[in-house]
Amino acid sequence: MNALNSLTQDDLGSAAQRDRRKRILDATIALASRGGFDAVQMRAVAEQADVALGTLYRYFPSKIHLLVSALGREFERSQAAMTGKPIPGETAEDRVNFVLGRTTKILQKDPNLTEALTRAFMFADASVSAEIDHVGMMLTGFLTEAMGTRTHDAEPTDEEIAIARVIGDVWLSSLVGWVTGRSSATDVEKSMSVAVRLLLR
């Protein structure tokens, strides 16, 4: 595997390694919740996770890798919480708005964490492509599920995946506006409602 990529859960062969990765991400999220992007320093993460600094760098080559991986885990948790539960809404538009609204509200309850995760996503370059791809896959997955294209084992079409990706891009852009103070929570909701209506009508 590319040495610049983070070690994923699938890369780790032992329970101890998986636990170490979990502690690292837990520490990252705790530090980000307290102080945002600037509070997440590699040495502080290593100390809070009780791992050597060199070990931390083997798991996550940089702060950006670390925070984007944390964003992916937050999406995993959000998707797991909805797995097996019907998504409210009569139409694809209703269901997608529900999922985005629910996720947005969860993120807005912890503005420091959201600021850290969103800034990391904005700053990520080509070296973080694997982590970015994972975040994109998670986001596309729960959007296509909300659209109703993954029920009964049916796979979404290329067009449906493309629509989900555009919706995801607009949503992330709206979050950037919120964390930088350029838009309000209400603005985010309105922007997403318009985008979803136009793309799913």
Side-chain angles (χ1 to χ4, degrees):
M1 115 175 246
N2 189 320
L4 290 177
N5 289 342
S6 304
L7 294 178
T8 68
Q9 195 80 355
D10 292 339
D11 296 320
L12 305 175
S14 72
Q17 289 175 320
R18 290 190 291 274
D19 177 68
R20 193 174 297 123
R21 183 180 189 274
K22 179 183 182 300
R23 292 203 318 271
I24 290 169
L25 290 175
D26 286 345
T28 301
I29 289 169
L31 287 166
S33 291
R34 288 201 293 269
F37 183 85
D38 292 336
V40 180
Q41 301 298 325
M42 296 298 271
R43 189 172 297 280
V45 171
E47 289 175 358
Q48 181 150 331
D50 193 25
V51 300
L53 188 59
T55 299
L56 173 59
Y57 277 106
R58 284 199 297 275
Y59 279 70
F60 299 97
S62 74
K63 172 177 172 172
I64 301 299
H65 286 81
L66 185 55
L67 283 165
V68 175
S69 295
L71 177 60
R73 194 178 75 170
E74 291 301 284
F75 281 171
E76 288 170 6
R77 287 178 167 176
S78 181
Q79 189 173 38
M82 291 189 290
T83 298
K85 298 177 183 176
I87 300 172
E90 294 296 319
T91 66
E93 180 182 338
D94 293 338
R95 292 189 297 273
V96 168
N97 277 325
F98 173 84
V99 168
L100 289 174
R102 177 184 179 278
T103 307
T104 301
K105 284 181 173 63
I106 290 170
L107 291 171
Q108 288 172 337
K109 286 179 181 177
D110 196 338
N112 284 338
L113 176 61
T114 302
E115 180 260 348
L117 300 180
T118 306
R119 279 182 66 183
F121 194 84
M122 289 166 54
F123 294 156
D125 59 21
S127 73
V128 197
S129 59
E131 293 80 1
I132 292 291
D133 287 347
H134 177 65
V135 168
M137 284 173 57
M138 295 299 303
L139 186 52
T140 299
F142 68 65
L143 288 174
T144 54
E145 186 169 354
M147 288 161 61
T149 55
R150 291 179 56 191
T151 55
H152 308 298
D153 297 323
E155 291 296 322
T157 65
D158 289 344
E159 181 178 356
E160 289 161 345
I161 290 171
I163 289 171
R165 285 176 175 164
V166 173
I167 292 172
D169 287 345
V170 174
W171 179 65
L172 287 167
S173 176
S174 296
L175 278 183
V176 170
W178 179 73
V179 301
T180 55
R182 297 197 304 268
S183 58
S184 67
T186 301
D187 293 333
V188 173
E189 185 178 349
K190 287 180 178 177
S191 294
M192 291 318 307
S193 179
V194 170
V196 171
R197 183 175 71 250
L198 291 173
L199 287 161
L200 292 179
R201 66 184 179 182

